[in-house]
Amino acid sequence: MSRKMEKIIEIAVDPEKVWKALTDPKELTRWFPIEARVEPGAGGSILYSWGPEAGSPNRIEVWEPARRLLLSETLPGGVTLALDFILEAGRGRTTLRLAHGGFRDGADWSDEYDAFSRGWDYELKSLRHYLERKLGRDRVTASARRVLAIDMDQAWRRLTGPAGIVAGRFPSGLSEGAPLDITLKTGEHVEGRVLIWDPMRQFAAVAENMDGALIRLELMRCGGPAEVCLWLASYDAADTVVREMAGRWDGMLQRIFSEPAA
Protein backbone atom coordinates (compact mmCIF):
# COMPACT_ATOMS: atom_id res chain seq x y z
CA MET A 1 0.00 0.00 0.00
CA SER A 2 1.10 3.57 -0.59
CA ARG A 3 0.16 7.02 0.64
CA LYS A 4 -0.44 10.27 -1.19
CA MET A 5 -0.53 13.84 0.11
CA GLU A 6 -2.68 16.46 -1.57
CA LYS A 7 -2.25 20.24 -1.31
CA ILE A 8 -4.12 23.14 -2.86
CA ILE A 9 -3.31 26.84 -3.10
CA GLU A 10 -4.74 29.85 -4.93
CA ILE A 11 -2.34 32.30 -6.54
CA ALA A 12 -3.39 35.70 -7.92
CA VAL A 13 -1.64 35.35 -11.29
CA ASP A 14 -2.57 33.58 -14.52
CA PRO A 15 -1.69 29.90 -15.14
CA GLU A 16 1.03 30.78 -17.66
CA LYS A 17 3.08 32.48 -14.93
CA VAL A 18 2.57 29.56 -12.55
CA TRP A 19 3.55 27.12 -15.29
CA LYS A 20 6.75 29.04 -16.00
CA ALA A 21 7.61 29.06 -12.30
CA LEU A 22 7.17 25.27 -12.24
CA THR A 23 9.15 24.49 -15.39
CA ASP A 24 11.72 27.21 -16.14
CA PRO A 25 15.07 26.54 -14.38
CA LYS A 26 15.69 30.21 -13.60
CA GLU A 27 12.19 30.70 -12.24
CA LEU A 28 12.45 27.54 -10.13
CA THR A 29 15.48 28.91 -8.30
CA ARG A 30 13.52 32.01 -7.35
CA TRP A 31 11.18 30.04 -5.06
CA PHE A 32 12.14 26.35 -4.73
CA PRO A 33 15.61 24.75 -5.25
CA ILE A 34 18.98 26.46 -5.27
CA GLU A 35 19.73 25.00 -8.70
CA ALA A 36 17.54 23.37 -11.34
CA ARG A 37 18.01 21.67 -14.69
CA VAL A 38 15.10 21.11 -17.08
CA GLU A 39 14.78 19.07 -20.26
CA PRO A 40 11.25 20.15 -21.27
CA GLY A 41 8.51 17.99 -22.71
CA ALA A 42 7.12 14.53 -22.03
CA GLY A 43 10.03 12.13 -21.66
CA GLY A 44 12.31 14.93 -20.45
CA SER A 45 13.35 15.59 -16.88
CA ILE A 46 13.58 18.12 -14.07
CA LEU A 47 16.38 18.00 -11.52
CA TYR A 48 16.09 19.95 -8.27
CA SER A 49 19.26 20.58 -6.25
CA TRP A 50 19.89 22.17 -2.85
CA GLY A 51 23.66 21.75 -2.89
CA PRO A 52 26.37 19.21 -3.68
CA GLU A 53 24.10 16.25 -2.86
CA ALA A 54 21.81 16.56 -5.87
CA GLY A 55 18.91 14.14 -6.01
CA SER A 56 17.95 11.97 -8.93
CA PRO A 57 16.17 13.55 -11.93
CA ASN A 58 12.38 13.55 -12.07
CA ARG A 59 11.12 12.12 -15.34
CA ILE A 60 8.41 14.19 -17.03
CA GLU A 61 5.42 11.91 -17.66
CA VAL A 62 2.88 14.60 -18.64
CA TRP A 63 3.73 18.05 -20.03
CA GLU A 64 0.63 20.12 -20.76
CA PRO A 65 1.63 23.81 -20.62
CA ALA A 66 -0.40 25.90 -18.18
CA ARG A 67 -2.51 22.83 -17.33
CA ARG A 68 -0.62 19.83 -15.94
CA LEU A 69 2.88 18.67 -15.04
CA LEU A 70 3.33 15.07 -13.87
CA LEU A 71 6.75 13.90 -12.68
CA SER A 72 8.02 10.55 -11.47
CA GLU A 73 11.13 9.78 -9.42
CA THR A 74 12.49 6.28 -8.84
CA LEU A 75 14.31 5.97 -5.52
CA PRO A 76 16.99 3.45 -4.56
CA GLY A 77 15.19 0.19 -3.89
CA GLY A 78 12.77 0.64 -6.77
CA VAL A 79 10.11 2.81 -5.08
CA THR A 80 8.64 5.36 -7.48
CA LEU A 81 7.14 8.64 -6.29
CA ALA A 82 4.72 10.65 -8.45
CA LEU A 83 4.48 14.44 -8.25
CA ASP A 84 1.44 15.88 -10.00
CA PHE A 85 0.74 19.62 -10.50
CA ILE A 86 -2.68 20.56 -11.91
CA LEU A 87 -3.44 24.20 -12.79
CA GLU A 88 -6.97 25.58 -13.05
CA ALA A 89 -7.67 29.13 -14.25
CA GLY A 90 -10.39 31.40 -12.91
CA ARG A 91 -10.90 35.19 -12.88
CA GLY A 92 -7.24 36.13 -13.13
CA ARG A 93 -6.21 33.56 -10.54
CA THR A 94 -4.80 30.06 -10.62
CA THR A 95 -5.79 27.20 -8.40
CA LEU A 96 -2.80 24.89 -8.10
CA ARG A 97 -3.45 21.34 -6.97
CA LEU A 98 -0.51 19.20 -5.95
CA ALA A 99 -0.52 15.47 -5.30
CA HIS A 100 2.64 13.69 -4.17
CA GLY A 101 2.17 9.94 -3.98
CA GLY A 102 3.95 6.61 -3.77
CA PHE A 103 5.05 6.87 -0.14
CA ARG A 104 4.91 3.45 1.50
CA ASP A 105 2.96 2.65 4.64
CA GLY A 106 4.76 1.81 7.85
CA ALA A 107 6.94 3.54 10.40
CA ASP A 108 10.01 3.52 8.15
CA TRP A 109 8.25 5.96 5.78
CA SER A 110 6.32 8.07 8.27
CA ASP A 111 9.10 10.57 8.94
CA GLU A 112 9.76 11.03 5.22
CA TYR A 113 6.07 11.45 4.45
CA ASP A 114 5.65 14.03 7.21
CA ALA A 115 8.79 15.93 6.14
CA PHE A 116 7.60 16.16 2.53
CA SER A 117 4.12 17.22 3.63
CA ARG A 118 5.46 20.05 5.79
CA GLY A 119 7.92 20.93 3.06
CA TRP A 120 5.18 21.41 0.49
CA ASP A 121 3.18 23.52 2.95
CA TYR A 122 6.10 25.94 2.96
CA GLU A 123 7.21 25.65 -0.67
CA LEU A 124 3.75 26.37 -2.09
CA LYS A 125 3.52 29.48 0.06
CA SER A 126 6.99 30.41 -1.16
CA LEU A 127 5.75 30.02 -4.74
CA ARG A 128 2.74 32.25 -4.09
CA HIS A 129 4.91 34.83 -2.33
CA TYR A 130 7.29 34.95 -5.30
CA LEU A 131 4.62 35.15 -8.00
CA GLU A 132 2.42 37.70 -6.26
CA ARG A 133 5.13 39.95 -4.80
CA LYS A 134 8.61 39.25 -6.20
CA LEU A 135 8.05 38.20 -9.81
CA GLY A 136 11.22 38.43 -11.89
CA ARG A 137 13.53 39.09 -8.93
CA ASP A 138 16.44 36.82 -8.07
CA ARG A 139 16.60 35.20 -4.66
CA VAL A 140 19.53 34.84 -2.27
CA THR A 141 19.31 31.97 0.21
CA ALA A 142 21.29 30.73 3.16
CA SER A 143 20.73 28.20 5.91
CA ALA A 144 22.15 27.00 9.20
CA ARG A 145 21.73 23.33 10.16
CA ARG A 146 22.51 21.12 13.09
CA VAL A 147 22.04 17.40 13.66
CA LEU A 148 20.10 16.78 16.87
CA ALA A 149 21.14 14.52 19.72
CA ILE A 150 17.75 15.00 21.42
CA ASP A 151 14.21 14.32 20.22
CA MET A 152 12.45 16.89 18.07
CA ASP A 153 9.84 17.89 20.66
CA GLN A 154 12.56 18.63 23.20
CA ALA A 155 14.55 20.51 20.54
CA TRP A 156 11.54 22.66 19.66
CA ARG A 157 11.02 23.61 23.31
CA ARG A 158 14.67 24.55 23.58
CA LEU A 159 14.58 26.63 20.37
CA THR A 160 11.48 28.56 21.43
CA GLY A 161 12.32 28.84 25.13
CA PRO A 162 14.35 31.44 27.03
CA ALA A 163 17.67 30.02 25.80
CA GLY A 164 16.42 29.69 22.22
CA ILE A 165 16.64 31.77 19.06
CA VAL A 166 14.47 34.70 20.18
CA ALA A 167 15.32 37.35 22.74
CA GLY A 168 12.80 36.18 25.34
CA ARG A 169 10.25 33.61 24.21
CA PHE A 170 8.26 33.15 21.07
CA PRO A 171 5.03 35.16 21.29
CA SER A 172 2.07 33.12 22.47
CA GLY A 173 -1.06 32.52 20.42
CA LEU A 174 0.61 32.62 17.02
CA SER A 175 -1.36 31.58 13.93
CA GLU A 176 -1.03 31.93 10.18
CA GLY A 177 -1.41 35.59 9.17
CA ALA A 178 -0.87 36.93 12.70
CA PRO A 179 1.42 39.97 13.11
CA LEU A 180 4.92 39.19 14.28
CA ASP A 181 7.54 41.36 15.99
CA ILE A 182 10.55 39.51 17.37
CA THR A 183 14.30 40.01 17.72
CA LEU A 184 16.61 37.05 17.27
CA LYS A 185 19.48 36.45 19.70
CA THR A 186 21.82 37.26 16.81
CA GLY A 187 20.36 40.78 16.62
CA GLU A 188 18.10 40.59 13.57
CA HIS A 189 14.73 42.29 14.03
CA VAL A 190 11.87 40.50 12.29
CA GLU A 191 8.67 42.48 11.85
CA GLY A 192 5.94 41.15 9.59
CA ARG A 193 3.48 38.29 9.72
CA VAL A 194 3.37 34.57 10.40
CA LEU A 195 3.36 32.42 7.28
CA ILE A 196 3.24 28.99 9.00
CA TRP A 197 2.78 28.05 12.63
CA ASP A 198 3.09 24.30 13.15
CA PRO A 199 4.25 23.89 16.76
CA MET A 200 6.94 21.29 17.44
CA ARG A 201 7.89 21.09 13.77
CA GLN A 202 7.80 24.29 11.72
CA PHE A 203 7.57 28.06 11.82
CA ALA A 204 7.85 30.50 8.90
CA ALA A 205 7.39 34.24 8.59
CA VAL A 206 7.43 37.08 6.08
CA ALA A 207 9.81 39.76 7.34
CA GLU A 208 8.28 42.94 5.91
CA ASN A 209 11.06 45.06 7.42
CA MET A 210 13.52 43.00 5.32
CA ASP A 211 11.68 43.70 2.05
CA GLY A 212 9.54 40.61 2.36
CA ALA A 213 12.29 38.07 3.08
CA LEU A 214 11.13 34.60 4.14
CA ILE A 215 12.45 33.07 7.37
CA ARG A 216 11.83 29.45 8.27
CA LEU A 217 12.60 27.26 11.29
CA GLU A 218 12.11 23.53 10.69
CA LEU A 219 12.68 20.31 12.59
CA MET A 220 12.73 17.20 10.44
CA ARG A 221 13.88 13.62 10.07
CA CYS A 222 14.09 12.21 6.56
CA GLY A 223 16.07 9.02 6.10
CA GLY A 224 18.58 9.85 8.81
CA PRO A 225 19.03 11.61 12.16
CA ALA A 226 16.78 14.47 13.14
CA GLU A 227 17.94 17.96 12.16
CA VAL A 228 17.08 21.58 12.82
CA CYS A 229 17.32 24.09 9.99
CA LEU A 230 17.08 27.88 9.97
CA TRP A 231 16.50 29.18 6.43
CA LEU A 232 16.48 32.65 4.92
CA ALA A 233 15.30 33.62 1.43
CA SER A 234 15.85 37.27 0.51
CA TYR A 235 15.05 39.21 -2.67
CA ASP A 236 16.78 42.37 -1.49
CA ALA A 237 19.89 41.74 0.63
CA ALA A 238 23.32 41.24 -0.88
CA ASP A 239 24.72 37.71 -0.95
CA THR A 240 27.46 38.60 1.54
CA VAL A 241 24.95 40.03 4.01
CA VAL A 242 22.82 36.88 3.86
CA ARG A 243 25.85 34.61 4.25
CA GLU A 244 27.05 36.58 7.27
CA MET A 245 23.60 36.27 8.83
CA ALA A 246 23.62 32.52 8.26
CA GLY A 247 27.01 32.33 9.93
CA ARG A 248 25.62 34.04 13.02
CA TRP A 249 22.67 31.66 12.98
CA ASP A 250 25.00 28.68 12.77
CA GLY A 251 26.84 29.87 15.86
CA MET A 252 23.53 30.41 17.65
CA LEU A 253 22.37 26.84 16.93
CA GLN A 254 25.70 25.48 18.10
CA ARG A 255 25.32 27.36 21.37
CA ILE A 256 21.70 26.32 21.90
CA PHE A 257 22.43 22.63 21.47
CA SER A 258 25.80 22.50 23.21
CA GLU A 259 24.59 24.10 26.43
CA PRO A 260 22.47 22.17 28.96
CA ALA A 261 18.74 22.86 28.75
CA ALA A 262 17.47 25.46 31.20
Side-chain angles (χ1 to χ4, degrees), residues 64-138:
E64 298 178 1
R67 293 181 58 192
R68 188 184 182 201
L69 175 67
L70 174 61
L71 308 174
S72 66
E73 178 185 12
T74 301
L75 305 177
V79 174
T80 298
L81 302 182
L83 180 57
D84 199 0
F85 298 94
I86 297 175
L87 292 68
E88 300 172 358
R91 298 184 179 181
R93 305 177 68 86
T94 301
T95 299
L96 176 61
R97 302 179 187 276
L98 176 149
H100 201 171
F103 296 90
R104 296 296 183 255
D105 288 327
D108 291 346
W109 281 83
S110 292
D111 288 334
E112 191 158 2
Y113 180 89
D114 291 343
F116 271 92
S117 181
R118 287 191 300 275
W120 281 121
D121 287 341
Y122 172 78
E123 299 297 355
L124 291 179
K125 288 180 171 63
S126 174
L127 171 62
R128 181 172 62 189
H129 182 74
Y130 167 66
L131 288 172
E132 292 185 353
R133 297 186 53 182
K134 305 296 181 180
L135 186 62
R137 294 174 62 176
D138 290 339

Side-chain angles (χ1 to χ4, degrees), residues 185-207:
K185 290 281 182 66
T186 47
E188 294 84 18
H189 180 217
V190 179
E191 185 176 351
R193 60 182 176 84
V194 176
L195 191 66
I196 295 174
W197 180 245
D198 182 10
M200 299 296 174
R201 292 298 179 266
Q202 180 172 207
F203 160 77
V206 180

